[in-house]
Amino acid sequence: MRSLRSLCLLQVHAMGQNVLNMPEIPASLAKDLKIIQLVNKTFGNWTLATNDVSTKVYQTALSIQYDGVSWNFQYCSNSFEVFCCLHCDFRQPDLKQFTLQEGKPAPVQSPFWEASNILEQLDQEHPVDRRMIMSFEMNEEGTWGKISFRGSEDFAVVPVVFTSNIVVKMNEAGQRKLNCDVLVRRGMVHHGFQKHLIETAVAVEDAFSSPVLPFCSGSVVLTAWGNLISLEDETSDEEDPEDFLRLVGDE
């Protein structure tokens, strides 16, 4: 159950962006409102990767919700190999979530399937109650924010390093992109990756609820899809959000 402060903050936020221009708004409240306006969104990524050996689909949707006290991360993320087509081999990812507060230890988790698989493997090999601490920083304009996760254990006791940064950037048009990097290190073994997601109007619980193609297409169109569809290129400004919404939501 949300606190009275959280309920009041969300009610003020619902009044719109103009509320930040009101002189009677306290500085602490204005900061929380800027955080909510920047990060309380849903982001997603759908990528088709194909080569001479295999074809795989990678899909992730992440919703971030901050209420002035707690941070809630709701997500669905997975990958699957395509043997027949994008319809027949479709695998809907499970919807999961975790909630934590800034500066307070919480179980190590990640909204990305790559990191989740690595952490699960570590738990199977060396079962330990791994913990992490979250922190957040934002520029004064409220157009850039970074959520950081760091392992909180003594390295001598738990010899695993876990770090993850989620950066949300908003451009002048008000469109947001999310970039994430994750590093898991145990001894001399390093596992690291980066993810790039774009803002979407599709609710996280509706993302990837059905295949992108409504019928069996065989392998004929896979090459064309591989050449034309990828929403992972952070450097490209040619991505059309409407294409992404078509991919992750129901028609």
Side-chain angles (χ1 to χ4, degrees):
M1 181 179 296
R2 284 192 168 120
S3 66
L4 179 60
R5 181 183 186 278
S6 296
L7 293 173
C8 293
L9 176 63
L10 294 175
Q11 186 65 33
V12 173
H13 173 254
M15 296 170 61
Q17 291 187 352
N18 290 335
V19 71
L20 287 173
N21 298 324
M22 300 171 62
E24 59 269 26
I25 294 294
S28 59
L29 177 59
K31 180 181 179 181
D32 279 342
L33 289 172
K34 284 184 178 181
I35 295 174
I36 290 175
Q37 291 177 0
L38 176 64
V39 305
N40 281 28
K41 300 292 179 179
T42 300
F43 305 87
N45 167 277
W46 189 96
T47 301
L48 178 70
T50 182
N51 54 38
D52 295 336
V53 178
S54 64
T55 298
K56 293 184 178 180
V57 169
Y58 307 100
Q59 50 191 16
T60 295
L62 168 63
S63 169
I64 303 175
Q65 294 294 316
Y66 172 66
D67 64 6
V69 178
S70 300
W71 293 75
N72 179 262
F73 299 85
Q74 195 172 16
Y75 60 97
C76 53
S77 180
N78 73 348
S79 68
F80 60 88
E81 191 164 0
V82 179
F83 297 98
C84 175
C85 69
L86 297 172
H87 174 83
C88 296
D89 296 306
F90 171 74
R91 296 292 181 269
Q92 182 177 359
D94 295 330
L95 183 64
K96 301 178 181 180
Q97 68 173 341
F98 61 90
T99 302
L100 70 169
Q101 294 183 17
E102 187 174 358
K104 294 186 176 181
V108 172
Q109 300 181 69
S110 174
F112 304 101
W113 66 267
E114 297 94 331
S116 296
N117 288 352
I118 295 170
L119 293 171
E120 182 178 353
Q121 182 180 353
L122 288 175
D123 286 339
Q124 292 175 352
E125 295 175 353
H126 302 279
V128 177
D129 183 22
R130 297 181 177 87
R131 315 287 285 181
M132 66 181 182
I133 293 178
M134 192 208 86
S135 61
F136 178 78
E137 59 181 300
M138 180 180 64
N139 65 358
E140 185 175 351
E141 297 77 15
T143 58
W144 177 94
K146 181 169 71 172
I147 304 169
S148 299
F149 302 93
R150 298 289 183 273
S152 61
E153 302 91 348
D154 184 349
F155 186 78
V157 178
V158 183
V160 174
V161 174
F162 173 80
T163 62
S164 178
N165 298 304
I166 295 176
V167 175
V168 178
K169 297 179 181 180
M170 180 170 59
N171 62 20
E172 294 181 355
Q175 298 173 330
R176 297 160 183 80
K177 287 188 177 184
L178 182 152
N179 301 319
C180 177
D181 62 79
V182 178
L183 173 65
V184 181
R185 186 182 72 192
R186 179 177 177 272
M188 299 299 293
V189 180
H190 296 243
H191 301 278
F193 66 90
Q194 295 182 333
K195 298 290 286 188
H196 309 298
L197 284 67
I198 62 174
E199 181 183 351
T200 173
V202 177
V204 66
E205 57 267 23
D206 297 327
F208 314 119
S209 57
S210 62
V212 296
L213 291 180
F215 53 85
C216 176
S217 62
S219 60
V220 178
V221 300
L222 286 180
T223 301
W225 278 76
N227 290 335
L228 296 177
I229 300 179
S230 176
L231 298 175
E232 192 179 20
D233 184 5
E234 178 194 18
T235 62
S236 174
D237 292 326
E238 302 296 326
E239 297 166 356
D240 185 352
E242 292 299 322
D243 288 342
F244 178 74
L245 299 184
R246 176 174 56 82
L247 291 174
V248 302
D250 291 329
E251 294 286 351

